[in-house]
Amino acid sequence: MELLRMSKAAKRLGIHPMTLRQWAIDGKIPFSWVGRERRFSSVDVENMKCGSDLATSRPRLEVLYVRVSGSPGQESSLAAQEEELRGTATGTVVKVVKDRGSGLRENRPGLNRVLTMVSDGSVTVVRVTHEDRLARFGVGWLKRLFAVYGVTLEVLHPMKSGGRDELLEDFVSLVTTFAGRVYGMRSAKARKRLLAETGQCTGGERAA
């Protein structure tokens, strides 16, 4: 039995190394740690290759998703993300979807387009440079949703995050939203109390 490096195992399977890494993380294929590298048994690789659920039976149709926070002067970041994803593509790039907005926002036009393509079978792989390009929170749920439709999420740089400035913007947005809701609740309670007091005063005046 031979222990294969990720690149060699992926080549035997005919898939991208990012896909194999995700399979390992999801528990779809066993692996062993050798130092800080994942190694795959040649027996497991051959079994996976012959398995009925092998992803290579489907064409590799990629949608590339790139996002910036929407602040001025970030067009170069969108272009850099797209260039890096195109440069590492191993299948057919069906579409490049771009978003300008906070990763905290769930209702983003670009993200909605990606979800539509996933659900209608237009793509088999969603690719991003960093996990937080897709979303700041809830990426695990998106992975599960993609898996329901047989679609894989591939992150080019799994352990890295976006820029500090954008993270700060998202943090401010989160605090602002939370504060707005708290103050809104307080205002609603204040209005309700004022109306109640006004009603009591009116009732007292009428009684007098």
Side-chain angles (χ1 to χ4, degrees):
M1 180 187 71
E2 183 183 1
L3 286 179
L4 307 174
R5 291 179 178 271
M6 182 177 294
S7 58
K8 189 172 183 179
K11 186 175 181 180
R12 286 196 184 184
L13 289 167
I15 60 175
H16 195 280
M18 294 295 118
T19 301
L20 182 57
R21 177 188 282 126
Q22 193 59 53
W23 285 3
I25 293 171
D26 294 341
K28 294 181 179 179
I29 183 171
F31 67 91
S32 303
W33 287 105
V34 177
R36 299 180 64 181
E37 292 185 8
R38 289 186 178 90
R39 298 291 177 88
F40 301 85
S41 162
S42 56
V43 175
D44 291 329
V45 170
E46 288 303 315
N47 289 339
M48 196 73 179
K49 190 174 181 179
C50 298
S52 58
D53 62 339
L54 186 61
T56 52
S57 61
R58 303 174 62 195
R60 183 179 171 86
L61 306 175
E62 302 181 8
V63 56
L64 312 182
Y65 179 77
V66 298
R67 181 186 65 79
V68 292
S69 66
S71 300
Q74 291 189 322
E75 292 302 313
S76 59
S77 177
L78 281 178
Q81 290 177 52
E82 179 180 346
E83 182 180 1
E84 189 172 16
L85 289 171
R86 283 188 180 278
T88 54
T90 58
T92 301
V93 176
V94 177
K95 191 174 184 62
V96 178
V97 178
K98 301 178 181 181
D99 252 334
R100 295 170 180 81
S102 171
L104 295 171
R105 286 180 52 200
E106 296 177 350
N107 189 23
R108 280 173 268 142
L111 179 59
N112 289 336
R113 285 197 294 273
V114 170
L115 292 175
T116 298
M117 296 178 75
V118 167
S119 63
D120 67 16
S122 301
V123 297
T124 58
V125 183
V126 177
R127 300 187 65 234
V128 294
T129 55
H130 303 86
E131 192 173 272
D132 64 2
R133 296 303 85 199
L134 189 64
R136 285 294 184 186
F137 303 108
V139 173
W141 293 108
L142 288 173
K143 286 181 182 179
R144 292 189 180 187
L145 176 62
F146 293 172
V148 170
Y149 295 98
V151 175
T152 302
L153 171 65
E154 289 184 1
V155 182
L156 199 58
H157 306 296
M159 301 305 294
K160 297 181 181 180
S161 62
R164 182 181 63 181
D165 292 341
E166 184 173 342
L167 181 60
L168 181 59
E169 288 179 11
D170 285 343
F171 176 73
V172 171
S173 176
L174 180 63
V175 171
T176 302
T177 301
F178 178 75
R181 290 182 179 179
V182 170
Y183 292 142
M185 290 170 61
R186 290 178 178 175
S187 298
K189 289 179 180 179
R191 287 195 300 270
K192 186 176 181 180
R193 184 174 62 253
L194 181 60
L195 288 172
E197 291 174 354
T198 303
Q200 288 175 0
C201 290
T202 303
E205 290 172 358
R206 288 176 181 173

